[in-house]
């Protein structure tokens, strides 16, 4: 009888210790998760910025990130696991906030593309044909995207002068056609299998160069028009 009581006491102690340990472990993991997310927010600040305007999206991000961490993956493995989420973030910024961001934000983003993305054929084609940016670890890009989200959310700017944008585009197209002739049609067919990536990127880069050389207001208006009508790039 005494042995049974002792056994029950020991079992109760062990169970209590296990519950306490499990609870402590969950608290440690929760704290670690919050620290990792906080660190990620500082590394990719557009995520933190979006949390103000897209709380449900941010909530889902935290949940997915927490689940990845709780499976025992380290930070790099976790980031690889949720990398598609970063592309979703960019798609959201690009489709919802960029078309209505401030002129300065649109010009800064387009200048960044021209200076950094279009210099590499693979990166250029990934963006221009698929809307994909492969490299997120760039402080300049982060700052630009934060401003895109902030101005697009708080002071959205609509495209008011469509006729002016269309006129500017026609002039850009005329200049491109005189340089590239029939090859210019590749821009419209850029998503086709077997597309000439190098040629497409040469023309895309040239198009952005010409647009960015326009007076700032005219340039921003045309870029805003192209963002609202992505298939009108040629």
């Amino acid at each position: 009888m005494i042995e049974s009581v002792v056994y029950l006491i020991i079992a109760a102690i062990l169970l209590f210790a296990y519950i306490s340990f499990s609870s402590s472990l969950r608290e440690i993991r929760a704290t670690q998760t919050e620290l990792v997310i906080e660190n990620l927010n500082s590394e990719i600040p557009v995520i933190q910025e979006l949390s103000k305007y897209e709380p449900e999206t941010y909530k889902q991000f935290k949940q997915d990130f927490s689940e990845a961490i709780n499976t025992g993956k380290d930070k790099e493995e976790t980031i690889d696991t949720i990398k598609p989420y970063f592309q979703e973030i960019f798609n959201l910024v690009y489709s919802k906030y960029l078309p209505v961001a401030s002129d300065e934000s649109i010009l800064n983003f387009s200048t960044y593309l021209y200076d950094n993305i279009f210099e590499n054929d693979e990166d250029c084609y990934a963006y221009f044909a698929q809307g994909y940016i492969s490299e997120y670890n760039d402080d300049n890009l982060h700052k630009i995207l934060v401003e895109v989200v902030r101005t697009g959310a708080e002071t959205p700017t609509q495209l008011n002068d469509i006729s002016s944008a269309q006129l500017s585009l026609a002039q850009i197209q005329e200049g491109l056609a005189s340089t590239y002739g029939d090859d210019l049609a590749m821009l419209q067919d850029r998503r086709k299998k077997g597309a000439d990536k190098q040629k497409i990127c040469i023309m895309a880069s040239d198009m952005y160069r010409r647009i960015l050389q326009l007076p700032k207001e005219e340039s921003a208006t045309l870029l805003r028009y192209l963002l609202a009508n992505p298939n009108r790039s040629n």
Side-chain angles (χ1 to χ4, degrees):
M1 180 67 179
I2 295 176
E3 290 180 353
S4 297
V5 172
V6 171
Y7 175 80
L8 289 173
I9 291 173
I10 293 174
I13 292 172
L14 291 174
L15 178 60
F16 177 77
Y18 174 76
I19 292 173
S20 298
F21 174 76
S22 298
S23 178
S24 298
L25 187 59
R26 283 194 297 271
E27 290 177 2
I28 291 171
R29 284 179 173 172
T31 301
Q32 288 176 333
T33 299
E34 288 299 322
L35 288 173
V36 172
I37 290 175
E38 183 179 335
N39 185 41
L40 191 63
N41 283 338
S42 65
E43 292 179 3
I44 308 179
V46 69
I47 295 178
Q48 182 65 39
E49 191 70 17
L50 277 173
S51 70
K52 304 174 187 176
Y53 312 109
E54 303 286 343
E56 290 303 315
T57 299
Y58 185 71
K59 180 180 178 181
Q60 185 62 49
F61 158 71
K62 290 186 68 174
Q63 180 179 326
D64 293 345
F65 205 91
S66 298
E67 289 175 358
I69 291 176
N70 288 333
T71 60
K73 296 179 179 179
D74 61 25
K75 180 183 174 184
E76 293 303 320
E77 290 176 321
T78 300
I79 290 176
D80 286 340
T81 299
I82 64 168
K83 224 169 188 179
Y85 177 82
F86 294 143
Q87 184 57 32
E88 289 181 22
I89 287 177
F90 178 74
N91 290 341
L92 179 63
V93 173
Y94 185 80
S95 62
K96 183 174 180 178
Y97 294 99
L98 188 58
V100 294
S102 67
D103 284 0
E104 183 180 4
S105 295
I106 288 179
L107 289 170
N108 287 341
F109 178 76
S110 299
T111 300
Y112 176 87
L113 291 180
Y114 180 74
D115 290 341
N116 298 276
I117 303 299
F118 286 177
E119 64 182 12
N120 178 284
D121 288 344
E122 290 299 322
D123 291 343
C124 165
Y125 186 77
Y127 172 80
F128 195 67
Q130 301 163 340
Y132 181 77
I133 289 183
S134 59
E135 183 55 63
Y136 296 92
N137 296 323
D138 188 311
D139 289 342
N140 289 329
L141 177 61
H142 297 165
K143 291 175 183 176
I144 291 168
L145 292 180
V146 166
E147 285 303 300
V148 164
V149 172
R150 186 183 62 79
T151 60
E154 297 181 3
T155 55
T157 303
Q158 303 299 328
L159 175 64
N160 295 318
D161 196 350
I162 295 177
S163 60
S164 175
Q166 291 173 332
L167 177 60
S168 298
L169 179 59
Q171 292 170 341
I172 295 290
Q173 289 174 329
E174 184 178 352
L176 291 170
S178 67
T179 301
Y180 302 107
D182 293 340
D183 285 347
L184 191 60
M186 291 182 187
L187 289 182
Q188 184 67 32
D189 299 330
R190 59 189 179 275
R191 296 181 181 87
K192 282 189 175 181
K193 187 177 181 180
D196 188 336
K197 296 180 182 180
Q198 184 178 36
K199 189 71 173 180
I200 287 171
C201 287
I202 289 172
M203 292 186 291
S205 179
D206 194 6
M207 181 182 73
Y208 268 74
R209 177 185 64 80
R210 294 169 188 250
I211 292 174
L212 291 169
Q213 285 179 340
L214 296 171
K216 286 188 176 182
E217 185 176 351
E218 184 179 350
S219 178
T221 298
L222 177 51
L223 288 166
R224 195 182 301 281
Y225 176 74
L226 292 176
L227 287 166
N229 303 274
N231 292 324
R232 298 300 302 274
S233 56
N234 78 330

